[in-house]
Amino acid sequence: MTYADLPRLLTMTIVWLLLLTWQLNAYRSNCVATLALVVLVTLLLFVSGAELALYRRRVFLNECMEPGGLLFRWLRRRYVLLGLELLKSAGLAVFLLVSVISFSPRHWSLLFADVLLVGLLLPRFYGALSGQLREEYRFTTARRWALWVSTLLLWLESMLVLVFTVTQDYDGLRWQEVITYGATDPDVLCRPLASLAALAAAVDALGQWSIQNLARSLQDLPQALMASISLLVCAGLSLLLSYAYSRALIGAVARPWTMWRLNPRSDD
């Protein structure tokens, strides 16, 4: 690690601290404060998503598209792409804030370790791409690689914890009983977000139940089907959460305006 890495690490650490502060204060944050936080996290996610969208757009327009085609004309409209990224970022922001409410100290330690990992990977990827890519693409590609490495590592860790760590004993219960008695009610002041948090807690409880009871439920087709679906949904949401957090970290250091300035000749 060098002194040049410190600003990047400090910037991404702010994202980690922002989410941790939200979890600690969700019980007293009204809907106005919650909305302000959603906007802030959306902005972080949008910056990262906009950079990747503009990156892909430039490559496709210059190398893949035939001028005059329908797809070519659609991709030329940068504002349409950015509008779609903004909507996607808003959804991911709400999902991220809802998910971190139930995080334990172990989760926060892992997320902080991921900050260090991404901070160390970015300059290494950038250096590895020397002589392989043009300069204007090197940092964007390095950030994209770091995003997916972070996402996959966080997701694998969450799956290992789900399989090997028993946080609540649901052995022998039916899925209806898990939802009724096993899922916790998160302490969130803003009621719309509290409802989403309660739903997320129920899904997490079903995921733990499915691991503990999948083999036992094979003789009961409805229970086996519910266990399989719950496990798949839990795995998918864990992957989405890992992606959202990793993208928020990358958004703290991304530079979409660089890709914005690199207009294809066909736009002139």
Side-chain angles (χ1 to χ4, degrees):
M1 181 182 295
T2 65
Y3 286 112
D5 298 326
L6 290 179
R8 186 183 307 110
L9 288 173
L10 290 175
T11 304
M12 290 189 292
T13 300
I14 292 174
V15 178
W16 180 82
L17 287 173
L18 179 67
L19 295 175
L20 178 59
T21 302
W22 153 248
Q23 188 209 38
L24 297 176
N25 293 277
Y27 71 96
R28 59 182 178 184
S29 298
N30 58 30
C31 288
V32 175
T34 300
L35 179 60
L37 185 61
V38 169
V39 171
L40 183 56
V41 177
T42 297
L43 180 61
L44 287 169
L45 293 165
F46 173 72
V47 168
S48 175
E51 181 181 56
L52 291 178
L54 294 172
Y55 171 92
R56 291 191 296 264
R57 168 187 175 273
R58 177 174 169 81
V59 172
F60 269 87
L61 286 178
N62 281 351
E63 305 297 338
C64 301
M65 299 288 101
E66 286 289 348
L70 178 62
L71 184 57
F72 179 87
R73 293 196 300 271
W74 187 81
L75 284 177
R76 286 183 62 185
R77 301 170 181 172
R78 290 179 292 190
Y79 293 104
V80 174
L81 290 178
L82 295 182
L84 294 175
E85 284 298 326
L86 183 61
L87 292 176
K88 183 165 63 174
S89 299
L92 287 175
V94 173
F95 175 70
L96 181 59
L97 293 178
V98 166
S99 299
V100 301
I101 290 173
S102 60
F103 277 11
S104 65
R106 179 195 59 81
H107 287 98
W108 292 110
S109 299
L110 175 67
L111 294 184
F112 185 73
D114 191 62
V115 171
L116 300 177
L117 174 67
V118 173
L120 293 174
L121 284 178
L122 284 173
R124 275 67 186 177
F125 283 153
Y126 178 77
L129 293 170
S130 177
Q132 309 297 320
L133 294 178
R134 285 187 284 177
E135 184 62 28
E136 60 266 28
Y137 292 112
R138 281 176 65 191
F139 263 127
T140 303
T141 304
R143 284 190 281 268
R144 187 177 183 182
W145 287 8
L147 166 67
W148 286 112
V149 170
S150 170
T151 298
L152 291 176
L153 288 178
L154 288 175
W155 180 71
L156 287 174
E157 191 276 341
S158 65
M159 289 294 96
L160 289 174
V161 169
L162 179 64
V163 172
F164 295 108
T165 302
V166 179
T167 58
Q168 190 78 17
D169 186 10
Y170 297 119
D171 193 28
L173 297 180
R174 301 174 67 84
W175 70 267
Q176 298 93 332
E177 297 169 332
V178 173
I179 293 179
T180 303
Y181 305 109
T184 59
D185 188 14
D187 188 9
V188 181
L189 181 60
C190 183
R191 295 317 305 168
L193 212 64
S195 299
L196 293 176
L199 178 60
V203 172
D204 183 63
L206 284 175
Q208 296 179 48
W209 166 81
S210 65
I211 290 294
Q212 298 174 27
N213 293 272
L214 184 59
R216 181 191 299 271
S217 301
L218 291 179
Q219 298 177 354
D220 187 343
L221 182 59
Q223 294 295 313
L225 181 62
M226 190 62 187
S228 302
I229 293 175
S230 299
L231 183 59
L232 290 176
V233 170
C234 191
L237 292 179
S238 296
L239 180 61
L240 184 62
L241 175 59
S242 301
Y243 171 75
Y245 176 73
S246 301
R247 184 165 149 175
L249 292 184
I250 296 298
V253 295
R255 299 176 181 176
W257 51 87
T258 301
M259 289 292 107
W260 179 275
R261 296 192 192 107
L262 294 176
N263 292 325
R265 293 180 181 178
S266 52
D267 275 358
D268 297 338

